[in-house]
Amino acid sequence: MSAQVAARTSITLGTLAARKEAGEPIVMVTAYDYPGAQIVEAAGVDVVLVGDSAAMTVLGYDSTVPVSVDEMIMLTAAVRRGLSSPLLVADLPFGSYEASDELAIATAQRFVKEAGADLVKIERGGTSVDRARALVAAGIPVVGHVGLTPQTATSLGGYRAQGRTAVAARAVRDDALALQEAGCSLLVLEAVPSEVTAALMPHMRVPVIGIGAGPETDGQVLVFHDLLGLYGGGAAKFVKRYADLRTAAIDGVAAYAADVRSAKYPAPEHEYSMPAAEAAELQELIASH
Ligand code: KIV
């Protein structure tokens, strides 16, 4: 496939609704910086998520919980500078929206005004349904996120599939429907059995983007570092690796190190030069001082 950047029309919420209507899958992927944004733009994705997975993939925290609003705003703004066509969604980090509608609106406004986010994403049902309603009323489009919600993974029993009993599955469905009724524009459905997705989809008017939720959603999302093989360590069951950039990067840096140590780099083509007369004069100047 060519690496050329094709000119594309900007994606809108209307585009996504039309895709759902037509049964054309929506492609969403995460990105966390300017070159990452340029890559996913060139690849022609529809929606880019600056996920709080950034906490682990680029900032080295051991969960998504510690990442701050300021850190997420810096990453989102960098992605914004590298994007033009896809919709840009930013995750509101843990602790930045749950306590009140006012807090949620103030945080979300920062992502829109300072970082250029088109939509914000919040996790869970429960109180997040109220937060979603308040954000929508304040004019900020919202993406809901149910199923496995990493910000509250501890209370869910860890990073594991959700909705594996009929009662638990009904709770996932209830959260999804409540977020839809609250006005969410999109829903992310993470790590649930495909049967749960199949039972939910006939009731969803807004596009549902799955990650580990089977093939019946309106689209799929994966983490950039997972799909490109940039992240060391094990990946979730639902991850498909499309490249092994970590190995390619290690090989590249190791080859550079070997070249420096064996004096193969820099070679003459990497050097600057000065006119011979200037070089001779330089020698004289140095000699006379
Ligand atoms: O933070 C993130 O990357 C996410 C996706 C996994 C949906 O929420």
Side-chain angles (χ1 to χ4, degrees), residues 28-30 32 49-55 57 64 72 91 121 123 145 148 150-151 188-190 209-211 221-224 226 238:
M28 180 168 169
V29 69
T30 68
Y32 311 105
L49 168 67
V50 185
D52 59 359
S53 49
T57 55
T64 60
M72 286 297 295
D91 254 339
K121 178 163 81 61
E123 293 190 3
H145 182 158
L148 172 58
Q151 293 178 0
V188 167
L189 181 59
E190 178 164 356
I209 312 296
I211 174 163
V221 55
L222 275 180
V223 165
F224 184 87
D226 284 341
F238 51 74

Side-chain angles (χ1 to χ4, degrees), residues 121-125 143-150 179 187-188 190:
K121 178 163 81 61
I122 61 177
E123 293 190 3
R124 293 174 63 249
V143 181
H145 182 158
V146 298
L148 172 58
T149 47
L179 286 162
L187 189 81
V188 167
E190 178 164 356

Side-chain angles (χ1 to χ4, degrees), residues 56-57 225-226 229-235 241 246 250:
M56 300 164 83
T57 55
H225 287 52
D226 284 341
L230 267 166
Y231 191 49
R241 288 218 193 284
R246 181 178 164 84
I250 292 170

